[in-house]
Amino acid sequence: MSSSIQNSGSAAAPLSASLSMLDGWLRNFAAGGEFGAQLRLAFGADLADERIDALREAWQAGAYVLPRIEIVNAATINGAHGAYAAALDTIFLAEQLVAGGSEEAVARVLLEEYGHALDHGFRDGGDTAGDEGALFA
């Protein structure tokens, strides 16, 4: 797994642990027998087998790239813990969460926002109905 992290400063160590946790979750999920069915539940029944297979292989091998991650003040993202900006292919994390939250809390926000990024890629810029990021997470 790789990702570009901006404005991390002292948040680099806790964020690194959260990214490691996220990687473990993705690898375990990809190894599960219901991987394709669960992806289709979150991202739509029309998700192509080829995309599912490619994602499974990438996650199992740890050969995937997360969107760029930028740590910002929560006010920048309307008080949220995280946000995904498709136009920038960037996950924004609230510095307050990264500095004061648990590694697991940060990893869960990363997972949800990564779900939005996946949906954007699966839908070629479109959006699955509902909150696919939360459903994925």
Side-chain angles (χ1 to χ4, degrees), residues 122-135:
F122 290 151
R123 301 287 162 216
D124 298 318
D127 189 24
T128 301
D131 189 354
E132 72 289 333
L135 188 56

Side-chain angles (χ1 to χ4, degrees), residues 23-100:
D23 183 57
W25 291 344
L26 294 175
R27 287 176 188 251
N28 287 339
F29 178 46
E34 296 295 316
F35 181 73
Q38 290 176 349
L39 280 180
R40 285 189 172 107
L41 179 65
F43 301 110
D46 61 338
L47 189 58
D49 288 339
E50 296 79 20
R51 288 194 177 217
I52 291 171
D53 293 342
L55 193 59
R56 178 192 304 265
E57 289 175 18
W59 286 358
Q60 286 178 327
Y64 59 95
V65 178
L66 292 173
R68 179 174 172 257
I69 298 169
E70 187 168 339
I71 300 170
V72 298
N73 189 287
T76 305
I77 50 177
N78 297 319
H81 292 303
Y84 174 69
L88 302 172
D89 192 32
T90 299
I91 293 172
F92 293 98
L93 290 176
E95 63 189 355
Q96 293 85 340
L97 172 70
V98 176

Side-chain angles (χ1 to χ4, degrees), residues 13 24 61 102 110:
S102 69
L110 281 168

